[in-house]
Coordinates of all heavy atoms in Angstrom, one line a residue:
T49 N 191.5 -166.7 289.5 CA 192.3 -165.5 289.7 C 193.4 -165.8 290.7 O 194.6 -165.4 290.5 CB 191.4 -164.3 290.2 OG1 190.4 -164.1 289.3 CG2 192.3 -163.1 290.4
A50 N 193.0 -166.5 291.8 CA 194.1 -166.8 292.8 C 195.1 -167.7 292.2 O 196.3 -167.6 292.5 CB 193.4 -167.4 294.0
A51 N 194.7 -168.7 291.4 CA 195.6 -169.7 290.9 C 196.6 -169.0 289.9 O 197.8 -169.2 289.9 CB 194.8 -170.8 290.2
Q52 N 196.0 -168.1 289.0 CA 196.9 -167.4 288.1 C 197.9 -166.5 288.7 O 199.0 -166.4 288.3 CB 196.0 -166.6 287.1 CG 195.2 -167.5 286.1 CD 194.3 -166.8 285.2 OE1 193.8 -165.7 285.5 NE2 194.1 -167.3 284.0
R53 N 197.4 -165.8 289.8 CA 198.4 -164.9 290.5 C 199.5 -165.8 291.1 O 200.6 -165.3 291.3 CB 197.6 -164.2 291.6 CG 198.5 -163.0 292.2 CD 197.7 -162.2 293.2 NE 197.3 -162.9 294.3 CZ 196.0 -163.2 294.5 NH1 195.1 -162.8 293.7 NH2 195.6 -163.9 295.6
A54 N 199.2 -167.0 291.5 CA 200.3 -167.9 292.1 C 201.1 -168.6 291.0 O 202.0 -169.4 291.3 CB 199.6 -168.9 293.0
G55 N 200.8 -168.3 289.7 CA 201.6 -168.9 288.7 C 201.1 -170.2 288.1 O 201.8 -170.8 287.2
T56 N 199.9 -170.6 288.4 CA 199.2 -171.7 287.8 C 198.3 -171.3 286.8 O 197.3 -170.7 287.1 CB 198.5 -172.6 288.9 OG1 199.5 -173.0 289.9 CG2 197.8 -173.8 288.3
D57 N 198.5 -171.7 285.5 CA 197.7 -171.3 284.4 C 196.5 -172.3 284.3 O 196.7 -173.5 284.3 CB 198.4 -171.3 283.1 CG 197.6 -170.8 281.9 OD1 197.1 -169.7 282.0 OD2 197.4 -171.6 281.0
I58 N 195.3 -171.7 284.3 CA 194.1 -172.5 284.0 C 193.5 -172.0 282.7 O 193.2 -170.8 282.6 CB 193.1 -172.4 285.2 CG1 193.7 -172.9 286.5 CG2 191.8 -173.1 284.9 CD1 192.7 -172.7 287.7
P59 N 193.4 -172.9 281.7 CA 192.8 -172.4 280.4 C 191.4 -171.9 280.5 O 190.6 -172.4 281.4 CB 192.9 -173.7 279.6 CG 192.9 -174.8 280.5 CD 193.6 -174.3 281.7
H60 N 191.1 -170.9 279.8 CA 189.7 -170.4 279.8 C 189.5 -169.5 278.6 O 190.4 -169.2 277.8 CB 189.6 -169.4 281.0 CG 190.6 -168.3 281.0 ND1 191.9 -168.4 281.5 CD2 190.5 -167.0 280.6 CE1 192.5 -167.3 281.4 NE2 191.7 -166.4 280.8
F61 N 188.2 -169.3 278.3 CA 187.8 -168.4 277.2 C 186.9 -167.3 277.7 O 187.1 -166.1 277.4 CB 187.1 -169.2 276.1 CG 188.0 -170.2 275.4 CD1 187.8 -171.5 275.6 CD2 189.1 -169.8 274.7 CE1 188.6 -172.5 274.9 CE2 189.9 -170.7 274.0 CZ 189.7 -172.0 274.2
C62 N 185.9 -167.6 278.5 CA 184.9 -166.6 278.9 C 185.4 -165.7 280.0 O 185.0 -164.5 280.1 CB 183.6 -167.2 279.2 SG 183.6 -168.2 280.8
H63 N 186.3 -166.2 280.8 CA 186.7 -165.4 282.0 C 187.5 -164.2 281.6 O 188.4 -164.3 280.7 CB 187.6 -166.3 282.9 CG 188.3 -165.5 284.0 ND1 187.6 -165.0 285.1 CD2 189.6 -165.1 284.1 CE1 188.5 -164.4 285.9 NE2 189.7 -164.4 285.3
H64 N 187.2 -163.1 282.2 CA 188.0 -161.8 282.0 C 188.1 -161.1 283.3 O 187.1 -161.0 284.0 CB 187.3 -160.9 281.0 CG 188.2 -159.8 280.5 ND1 188.5 -158.7 281.3 CD2 188.8 -159.6 279.3 CE1 189.2 -157.9 280.6 NE2 189.4 -158.4 279.4
D65 N 189.3 -160.7 283.7 CA 189.5 -160.2 285.1 C 188.6 -158.9 285.3 O 188.4 -158.6 286.5 CB 191.0 -159.8 285.3 CG 191.8 -161.1 285.4 OD1 191.3 -162.1 285.9 OD2 193.0 -161.0 285.1
R66 N 188.3 -158.2 284.3 CA 187.6 -156.9 284.4 C 186.0 -157.0 284.2 O 185.4 -156.0 284.0 CB 188.1 -155.9 283.5 CG 189.6 -155.5 283.8 CD 189.8 -155.0 285.2 NE 191.2 -154.5 285.3 CZ 191.7 -154.1 286.5 NH1 190.9 -154.0 287.6 NH2 193.0 -153.7 286.6
M67 N 185.5 -158.3 284.1 CA 184.1 -158.5 283.9 C 183.6 -159.5 284.9 O 184.3 -160.3 285.4 CB 183.8 -158.9 282.4 CG 184.1 -157.8 281.4 SD 183.6 -158.2 279.7 CE 185.1 -158.8 279.1
Q68 N 182.2 -159.5 285.0 CA 181.6 -160.4 286.0 C 181.7 -161.8 285.4 O 181.6 -162.1 284.2 CB 180.1 -160.0 286.2 CG 179.9 -158.6 286.7 CD 180.5 -158.5 288.1 OE1 180.2 -159.2 289.0 NE2 181.4 -157.4 288.3
P69 N 181.9 -162.8 286.3 CA 182.0 -164.2 285.8 C 180.6 -164.8 285.4 O 179.6 -164.4 285.9 CB 182.4 -165.0 287.1 CG 182.0 -164.1 288.2 CD 182.0 -162.7 287.8
V70 N 180.6 -165.6 284.4 CA 179.4 -166.2 283.8 C 179.5 -167.7 283.6 O 178.5 -168.4 283.5 CB 179.0 -165.6 282.5 CG1 178.5 -164.1 282.7 CG2 180.1 -165.6 281.5
G71 N 180.7 -168.3 283.6 CA 180.9 -169.7 283.5 C 180.3 -170.3 282.2 O 179.7 -171.4 282.1
M72 N 180.5 -169.5 281.1 CA 179.9 -169.9 279.8 C 180.7 -171.1 279.1 O 180.1 -172.0 278.6 CB 179.9 -168.7 278.8 CG 178.9 -167.6 279.3 SD 177.2 -168.0 279.0 CE 177.1 -167.9 277.2
C73 N 182.0 -171.0 279.0 CA 182.7 -171.9 278.2 C 183.1 -173.2 278.8 O 183.3 -174.2 278.1 CB 184.0 -171.2 277.7 SG 185.3 -171.0 278.9
R74 N 183.2 -173.3 280.1 CA 183.5 -174.5 280.9 C 184.9 -175.0 280.7 O 185.3 -176.0 281.2 CB 182.5 -175.6 280.7 CG 181.1 -175.3 280.5 CD 180.6 -174.5 281.7 NE 180.2 -175.3 282.9 CZ 179.6 -174.8 284.0 NH1 179.4 -173.5 284.0 NH2 179.4 -175.5 285.0
M75 N 185.7 -174.2 280.0 CA 187.1 -174.6 279.7 C 187.9 -174.6 281.0 O 188.9 -175.4 281.1 CB 187.7 -173.7 278.7 CG 189.1 -174.1 278.2 SD 189.0 -175.6 277.3 CE 190.7 -176.2 277.4
C76 N 187.5 -173.9 282.0 CA 188.3 -173.8 283.2 C 187.9 -174.8 284.3 O 188.2 -174.6 285.5 CB 188.2 -172.4 283.8 SG 186.6 -171.9 284.4
L77 N 187.2 -175.9 283.9 CA 186.8 -176.9 284.9 C 188.1 -177.5 285.5 O 189.0 -177.9 284.8 CB 186.0 -178.0 284.2 CG 184.6 -177.7 283.7 CD1 184.0 -178.8 282.9 CD2 183.7 -177.5 285.0
V78 N 188.1 -177.6 286.8 CA 189.2 -178.2 287.5 C 188.6 -179.0 288.7 O 187.4 -178.8 289.1 CB 190.2 -177.2 288.1 CG1 190.9 -176.5 287.0 CG2 189.5 -176.2 289.0
D79 N 189.3 -180.0 289.2 CA 188.9 -180.8 290.4 C 189.1 -179.9 291.6 O 190.2 -179.4 292.0 CB 189.7 -182.0 290.5 CG 189.0 -183.3 290.0 OD1 187.8 -183.3 290.2 OD2 189.6 -184.2 289.4

Side-chain angles (χ1 to χ4, degrees):
T49 304
Q52 287 178 331
R53 191 176 60 251
T56 299
D57 182 60
I58 298 177
H60 61 274
F61 295 114
C62 69
H63 171 72
H64 193 288
D65 289 334
R66 298 299 186 184
M67 290 186 268
Q68 300 297 308
V70 289
M72 292 285 288
C73 71
R74 320 305 280 186
M75 187 64 201
C76 67
L77 287 170
V78 293
D79 258 326

